[in-house]
Amino acid sequence: MIVATAGHVDHGKTTLVRALTGEDTDRLPEEKRRGLSIDLGFAYLPLAGGAPLAFIDVPGHERYVRNMAAGVHGIDLALLVVAADDGPMPQTREHLAILERLGAPQLLAVLTKVDRVAPDRVAAARAEIDALLAGGRFAGAETIALSAQSGEGLDALRARLVEIAQSVPPRAANRRFRMHVDRAFIVDGQGLVATGTVLSGAIDIGSEVQVLPGGLRARVRGLRANRAEAARAIAGQRCALALHGLDRGDVERGDTLVDSGEAALSPRIDIELEPLGALPARTGTVGVHLGTAQLAARLSRFGRFARLAFAHPVSTCKGDRLLIRDPGSHRLAGAGTVIDPMPPERGAARPQRLAWLESIAGKSADEAFDALLDGEPGQVDARWFASSYHLPPGELQRLEAARDLAAFTLRGERNLMRAARWEALCARLEHAVGDWHAAHVDAIGPRPAEVGAPLAAVASSLIAQGRLVREGACLRLPGHRPVLSPQDEALWRRAAPLLASGGARPPRVHELAPQLEMEPKLLAEFLQRAARAGRVHRVAANRFFLPETIDRLVGLAAALDADSAGRGFAAAAYRDRSELGRNLTIEVLEYLDQAGYTRRAGQLRRLRTDSQEEKRPRWGARTSNPERGV
Ligand SMILES: Nc1nc2c(ncn2[C@@H]2O[C@H](COP(=O)(O)OP(=O)(O)OP(=O)(O)O)[C@@H](O)[C@H]2O)c(=O)[nH]1
Ligand SMILES: [Mg+2]
């Protein structure tokens, strides 16, 4: 069990820890000289047949309240120390507020220096403490009166601590290793040692850790858990890690150590906000206590929620508690709970976004997973989710296995959706394409935007399943063939051989028109209809190519690309190989670029390979950028 002291300066915190453990936690020369704690102190009380009690002694002076805040996250129990002669004082209140907000699970009040006062003052001070706690999270907490000087009451406190230690629930086992660093120092022969309270998971000698936010990685070469040499430290223990390969300055208080897996890291976080004092009405600069770090941030409020934007990335997890200070007065102005450790940059105030935050606020990983799947838009980014909750890989698998889900790729990330919902999206698109076919029998099929394709991934999935076919920029049902009117069909039978006879240089519209004894304008209109039906490709305003001709021209580009050893080919090389002549070469190459067969970079072109998993278009020009796709 980890126990932290709290309370006003000089009320006897350090003396109490010494009386319990025999250790003096005021080690700094300046602390000795001034008779005052400045930084955190650490001491242990061995218990027979169990883990020792680990004490974190905090300074009471108002100037060092940031050190206090760094010391009390991740503890199991707070000892709020109040001197009987003074009673509650300003930092008693401030520390209590911090403990309430940072989520200390339990609090025990300790009334010290009772040797200095008369018995009726002890009773009065008890009443003052009860009144102080009333209405807060620790209302009704027990007060133990004692004197660290005479030893009176110490046994009662010790016995109570042992009792509480036995009832402390084990920490959740389903999160990965994480520890905010509260001290880092060099030990001769060991190198850099970083200490902290293990918040979640476990860490072993030999494993790799990351130092966040910087991202340095190091191997654990030495380890202590609750000060004893050990092979492993687990959540709820004080831990010291000797980190191989790191040097002074590589790790500092405020950094976070995590295992080697992916962890949330972002210059902005979205929080649920609890206003306590002088908070900016809408936006403003604030001070933030986050883990053991002290940072400046820009606060933007959105009702119950707020965004904190930092100058550098921070690593948080969903559910992390933080404190907000007024940057001028340093007074506690608010508290927060992290809801999204990696929010998208834009759209923070959108109603959908706030509803989304609302749906997962205060929820466990399991609950939030369901809430996201059942909410809008009903999809969960798997990597975001696992990082936000710092889940081990098996946990996400467990969540997935317990539900009937469909997985798909969205903006390069694996996303999950309830299978029934996903199938409904697929069926809706399939039907929309069918309806479109019915309304446009002479056309290949709709562009995705014309049928309101909800997600690119829906169309891709249907294509992969063979339920839709991609034709250039269009979609069609596998069975759909565009039909021409009988007149157009008859005309096509005459026109197709003429187009074919021209090879790579089919006749232009005004050359073809006299051969077919037609007005060029009417012929152009007919060829447009044929293009819509996928019979020809419109390469330029007056030039239509048969699909097999396009295939040959693409083959030529592929051959030149293959010969270029990865550099790409020039238009002149294509002209020489195709013998198309300068102007037509440019027209053809521009068509190939625009249709997505080739990609132009400066004067050179390469064959596109990034969309190879997609079916190469055979009919119809691909006029949209395939990267944006459907
Ligand atoms: N008579 C009496 N004096 C005490 C008792 N406990 C602490 N003191 C004295 O009170 C003074 C302050 O004690 P500390 O333990 O340093 O107080 P602290 O709360 O750690 O102070 P900061 O760390 O600076 O906030 C010291 O001179 C102690 O000897 C007690 O139970 N009885
Ligand atoms: Mg002290």
Side-chain angles (χ1 to χ4, degrees), residues 1-4 72-78 98-108 137-138 141 164 167-169 171:
M1 176 166 81
I2 301 182
V3 184
V72 299
H73 71 86
I75 60 171
D76 298 296
L77 174 72
I98 290 172
L99 293 167
E100 285 177 338
R101 271 41 188 234
L102 283 185
Q106 268 196 86
L107 179 138
L108 193 60
R137 213 154 61 72
F138 302 116
I164 295 173
S167 69
V168 164
R171 306 220 179 174

Side-chain angles (χ1 to χ4, degrees), residues 316-330:
T316 62
C317 280
K318 184 167 186 301
D320 280 0
R321 303 275 304 163
L322 53 88
L323 298 176
I324 298 173
R325 291 189 166 275
D326 180 86
S329 68
H330 294 286

Side-chain angles (χ1 to χ4, degrees), residues 19 115 146-156 158:
D115 57 289
L146 57 80
S147 163
Q149 188 109 316
S150 70
E152 174 197 347
L154 265 182
D155 285 342
R158 220 176 267 122

Side-chain angles (χ1 to χ4, degrees), residues 311-446:
H312 302 287
V314 296
S315 180
T316 62
C317 280
K318 184 167 186 301
D320 280 0
R321 303 275 304 163
L322 53 88
L323 298 176
I324 298 173
R325 291 189 166 275
D326 180 86
S329 68
H330 294 286
R331 289 238 115 85
L332 203 56
T337 309
V338 175
I339 299 181
D340 188 350
M342 290 182 289
E345 189 172 358
R346 289 172 198 287
R350 281 194 199 132
Q352 304 94 300
R353 171 71 190 167
L354 299 179
W356 186 90
L357 292 174
E358 183 91 47
S359 74
I360 56 169
K363 292 207 165 91
S364 70
D366 280 58
E367 292 163 349
F369 195 59
D370 282 323
L372 290 170
L373 290 168
D374 294 332
E376 287 303 326
Q379 70 223 26
V380 182
D381 179 324
R383 198 156 69 109
W384 167 85
F385 190 81
S387 299
S388 291
Y389 281 92
H390 212 58
L391 299 180
E395 264 305 288
L396 187 60
Q397 281 162 18
R398 183 185 67 77
L399 288 171
E400 286 185 37
R403 292 157 182 84
D404 191 9
L405 302 178
F408 58 94
T409 305
L410 186 62
R411 288 184 282 277
E413 296 292 344
R414 185 165 175 272
N415 272 255
L416 302 162
M417 186 181 277
R418 291 221 192 270
R421 199 164 171 171
W422 176 252
E423 178 46 37
L425 287 181
C426 288
R428 198 197 304 162
L429 179 58
E430 216 175 7
H431 284 126
V433 172
D435 291 348
W436 199 94
H437 284 328
H440 308 83
V441 289
D442 60 341
I444 310 167

